[in-house]
Amino acid sequence: MIARLNAGLAARPALRAALAFVAGAAAVGGFAPLEQPLVALAACIVLVHLWQHAPSPRAAFGVGFWFGLGLFGVGVSWVFVSLHRFGGMPAPLAGIATLGFCAYLALYPACAGWLQARAPGPAWARAALVVPAAWTVLEWMRGWALTGFPWLAMGYAAIDTPLAGYAPLGGVTLLSLSTLEMWRQSGFLARVFAPFDELGISIDLVATSQATISVTLDRLPGGPDGPTFARL
């Protein structure tokens, strides 16, 4: 039965696209406010399975694109609200702009799919080694290219899981604060950053949006398991 299903996926591009799109949309459940990391994990498993059974690198590119379109189409739909309600852009034009933006973002998982399909080696090796490497590199590029848009990086879905302990291995600790209390609140950022000064924590980079503050720390006394981080 599984063999027939995989054969069907290989022969029916529309089915692959639909499953990838649904998986990408479902992956948003791993982020706030739902914060269900297992949902994001399941979506990634579906994506890898579809990639493994794509008949060509071009088909794998398409799978990644549709996954990304579902992920960003649901996860960054607030862009439409920003353009239309707050920016005064007509709804049709705001919809087209948002769709184009999501399609651009979807190119990154699409390229990850193409790269893993081009890599030599057995399927298990590509799934265990090439896919994580390609995904990580492309996510990093998405957070850097054209000033960057690191929204919905999969690592954020693992913040409240045991995997969060791996965050400082790169030499920095990533901390994300998400709250609607910052909307139209004067002095909010000053109150947010005051504890960092009081605890002697050095901040490297800062990125903000309407409801999110992301900071990169380059010095955290005691590390993420120490009393300073607990107080923060």
Side-chain angles (χ1 to χ4, degrees):
M1 181 178 178
I2 296 179
R4 288 201 301 268
L5 175 61
N6 292 335
L9 289 174
R12 300 174 65 182
L15 178 60
R16 288 197 308 271
L19 289 176
F21 182 86
V22 171
V28 179
F31 302 89
L34 297 179
E35 296 182 342
Q36 298 297 318
L38 291 180
V39 175
L41 176 62
C44 290
I45 291 173
V46 172
L47 173 63
V48 173
H49 182 82
L50 292 173
W51 271 342
Q52 294 300 297
H53 295 281
S56 67
R58 180 177 180 180
F61 180 94
V63 167
F65 179 83
W66 284 106
F67 181 91
L69 200 61
L71 174 66
F72 298 112
V74 174
V76 301
S77 55
W78 52 265
V79 171
F80 173 84
V81 178
S82 299
L83 293 175
H84 175 54
R85 180 177 298 180
F86 299 104
M89 183 178 291
L93 187 57
I96 294 173
T98 302
L99 180 60
F101 180 59
C102 292
Y104 158 72
L105 296 176
L107 292 175
Y108 289 93
C111 289
W114 184 86
L115 286 173
Q116 66 84 31
R118 294 289 299 178
W124 68 264
R126 287 190 287 116
L129 301 175
V130 181
V131 169
W135 185 275
T136 300
V137 169
L138 268 299
E139 260 196 356
W140 174 82
M141 291 181 63
R142 176 165 62 86
W144 172 80
L146 301 177
T147 73
F149 190 81
W151 198 272
L152 295 179
M154 281 298 172
Y156 291 128
I159 289 296
D160 294 324
T161 73
L163 294 176
Y166 290 97
L169 291 181
V172 295
T173 301
L174 297 179
L175 191 68
S176 183
L177 305 176
S178 181
T179 173
L180 294 179
E181 292 178 359
M182 69 182 291
W183 282 33
R184 300 183 181 180
Q185 295 294 318
S186 62
F188 181 86
L189 290 178
R191 295 194 299 272
V192 166
F193 290 114
F196 293 90
D197 181 45
E198 296 170 0
L199 296 171
I201 299 175
S202 176
I203 296 176
D204 185 19
L205 298 174
V206 178
T208 67
S209 69
Q210 287 179 323
T212 299
I213 305 171
S214 298
V215 301
T216 299
L217 309 180
D218 59 6
R219 185 169 65 85
L220 180 59
D225 296 325
T228 301
F229 188 77
R231 292 178 60 191
L232 180 64

